[in-house]
Amino acid sequence: MKSVFMVAEKPSLAQSLAKILSNGSMNSRKGMNGACSVHEFTGRFRGETMRMKMTSVCGHVMGCDFVGKYNNWDKVDPVELFTAPIQKKEANEKLRMPAFLAKEASGAEYLVLWLDCDKEGENICFEVIECVENVMTRVAGQQVFRAKFSAITDQEIKGAFNNLGAPNKNESLSVDARQELDLRIGCAFTRYQTKFFQGKYGDLDSTLISYGPCQTPTLGFCVERHDKIQSFKPEAYWVVSTQVQLPDGKSMKLDWERVRVFDKEVAQMFVNLIRSGDKACVLDTVQKKGEKTKPLALNTVEMLRVASSGLGLSPHHTMQIAERLYIQGYISYPRTETNNYPDSFDLKGTLRQQQDHPNWGSFVRKLLQEGMKQPKKGQDAGDHPPITPMRCARESDLEGDSWRLYDYITRHFIATLSPNCYYLQTTVFFEIGSEQFSCTGKVLQDPGFTEIMPWLALGEDEEIPTLKKNTMLDVEEVKLIDRQTSPPDYLSESELITLMEKHGIGTDASIPVHINNICERNYVSIIPGRKLQPTNLGIVLVHGYQKIDSDLVLPTMRSAVEQQLNMIAMGQANFYEVKQHAIDIFHLKFRYFVQNIPAMDELFEVTFSSLADAGRPISRCGKCRRFMKLVEAKPARLHCSICDSTYSLPQNGNIKLYKELKCPLDEFELLLWTTGAKGKSYPLCPYCYNNPPFKDMRKGMGCNECSHPTCPHAFSQNGVSECVECERGILVLDPTSAPKWRMCCNK
DNA sequence: GCAAGGTC
């Protein structure tokens, strides 16, 4: 019997697809890599009964990187990265994906690709083909097919299977081009900046001064807001505050139709005008029905916004929690752009799962009884259905933030099927001495969905009386109040997400990563209310780009590049030409940036202190015998101001002088690195650590004798260690025993 | 030690 090999983008999808295509009768087993499952069944394909095998990858099979020596920061000038050779390598070596695919596809006559229907998915199609084409059985005619589907429903999937096409090479090539561009540009700028500024300053407090086409514009948004705050000039303005007495004797404040004026004399004139009319005359009373609409079905970015502003959770943390809730079966797939339920979605069934819930069961039962409402019509991006609860969980089933996120997702889902919130709005218009005023009040009529999302509820009822036209009221007060305009606040995380989405910076899956990056690199700090306040480092970076080449930080840069790449995807432009053109432009931009780096450096100079001024003396240099300074700001390193040399150190630990012992090889004083909780420690020579003394020694090399992490031989990465025998001598690696190093005592 | 994009 012939066989068909099928591949989805992720394990969960392979399972759903196999279930549909096999009508629920399949044999499943774990694949050899432990991550992917294989589902087998028999079915009909091209008029024949065949063996079907459905499995998946885990996202991209391959990634790209520079070849060998170009990964060495010390041996390669970053400008070479624009022309350096690039290779594809396994995205995750542990998964052994190419081997797994080749093994499972072996002998199959047909390949059906069920990867996500976007450009990345198209690119993964060709990665899969590359892995399996040589192990398939050759038969006449088309052997490789592409399924195009827009929802994971019976009808859609079976329809796609009966109407297969071919993978789209152009779309895949546009992804190849993007990967290569991002790699060359990002790495060239990052390495250059990092080396330049870390070689000069001691208090940057970031292990990396990175640049990227997504992270840098993301930082740009935060600094833009900071600049607005800094350059804000408060302006004085005046408002007229008036109060009238109602027929029942109560007082009521009125809103001035002019709201405010920016000229004191004009304001005073209005006050005089108003005071000249002793009564307030009712011009009209208008009543209208107001409506607060329920939310759209939940997609990823909306979830991230709400989690940040409402739950105080970072996007990165939110995705980690959502991922876990998904794996445990509590919610649907959490990465989706779609905020419209597909027609086949079992809304009622999903709602019924929640009807016995202690927190919202009674609301759900009432909703089911009175008839749930149609959800609002949103956008279908063709990826996954909106994020919804998949089974009922109580507060005791989940912990802390997991519960809070599940609680939100479920309330949001219920709200999308609830009625809108209705209220009655009454506005009374007044005239006092030819100036107009009004007063508005809202009275709740039906809370609708706000009952399940109480934080969106209308405020307290503000009932105001309906007053007949021409009613005259006493004016109790006419006051001139002086105020000042206030600066905007720092950019909130949820505003940032909106800006990124609007400018096409990052994707639903990568937006949290970019935001996390600019926090971890210490370009911004999170202040209360999850607002992003740029640090000095973040500010001088962005201002520096603006001085040298503002394109580098412009939010339009990413979309401009993507537009070019879309030409490749649509077959309207040649892959090599477009890619080379973009590389050439950024190559020039890079050279220009390097030439003009003093413009950015001027900003660094006034903000940061030089390496020579930073740090505290700790140990003697083996060359000049003077004390070197330990620079403790990230990345921790040693600096000898006499030799003007910097020596990197192991990170994330404490560095102390080690018994004032000297390295027998180079006379540098030894240091002891210790790390907190587990109390790991080892002595090292700062020179040997950076310049391995023996051939074939690499940084971070473990024990080459027994590879045990606590074995004293593990110190071999530094070339020296305390002698385990006499505890007095120093062990050095014996190069005569290469390639198996051996320690020998110098005493 | 670099980017951004998939996903676990």
Side-chain angles (χ1 to χ4, degrees), chain A residues 22 27 41 69 107 112 136 189 210 220 248 313 410 428 439 443 449 451 524 562 569 572 669 706 722 726 731:
Chain A
S22 69
N27 284 314
F41 50 97
K69 76 159 189 174
V112 179
M136 289 173 60
F189 278 90
S210 57
D248 65 0
L313 303 174
T410 309
V428 184
C439 182
V443 175
F449 76 99
E451 210 174 319
V524 295
E562 298 236 346
Q572 293 167 355
E669 275 186 316
C706 64
E722 183 180 342
C726 67
L731 294 173

Side-chain angles (χ1 to χ4, degrees), chain A residues 538-567:
Chain A
I539 294 165
V540 293
L541 273 173
V542 170
H543 289 175
Y545 295 130
Q546 286 166 346
K547 281 178 78 176
I548 300 172
D549 177 358
S550 57
D551 281 0
L552 294 173
V553 69
L554 243 37
T556 44
M557 185 193 56
R558 183 67 177 175
S559 41
V561 171
E562 298 236 346
Q563 225 173 353
Q564 301 256 304
L565 297 178
N566 266 334
M567 301 282 282

Side-chain angles (χ1 to χ4, degrees), chain A residues 11-20 22 24-32 36-42 52-55 100 104:
Chain A
S12 64
L13 208 50
Q15 191 183 11
S16 309
L17 294 171
K19 217 180 222 168
I20 292 171
S22 69
S25 63
M26 62 203 193
N27 284 314
S28 303
R29 60 180 162 87
K30 263 264 176 288
M32 66 175 223
C36 304
S37 291
V38 184
H39 311 281
E40 287 166 297
F41 50 97
T42 51
M52 309 275 172
K53 193 191 272 188
M54 169 74 76
T55 187
F100 166 70
E104 296 295 343

Side-chain angles (χ1 to χ4, degrees), chain A residues 78 520 695:
Chain A
E520 281 200 336
K695 239 194 213 171

Side-chain angles (χ1 to χ4, degrees), chain A residues 245-307:
Chain A
Q245 191 179 41
L246 293 171
D248 65 0
K250 283 184 190 155
S251 299
M252 187 167 79
K253 274 202 181 324
L254 306 186
D255 302 320
W256 192 22
E257 291 296 286
R258 294 184 198 273
V259 186
R260 60 188 183 183
V261 293
F262 288 90
D263 186 313
K264 190 172 184 181
E265 283 175 25
V266 174
Q268 191 58 52
M269 180 201 81
F270 281 124
V271 169
N272 296 341
L273 210 60
I274 295 161
R275 283 185 178 148
S276 71
D278 55 339
K279 295 262 184 188
C281 174
V282 174
L283 298 177
D284 204 1
T285 298
V286 178
Q287 277 197 323
K288 62 176 184 186
K289 205 171 172 181
E291 186 175 7
K292 202 169 174 173
T293 54
K294 61 189 178 178
L296 281 165
L298 189 62
N299 66 9
T300 306
V301 288
E302 182 60 15
M303 175 177 76
L304 296 176
R305 271 192 288 262
V306 176

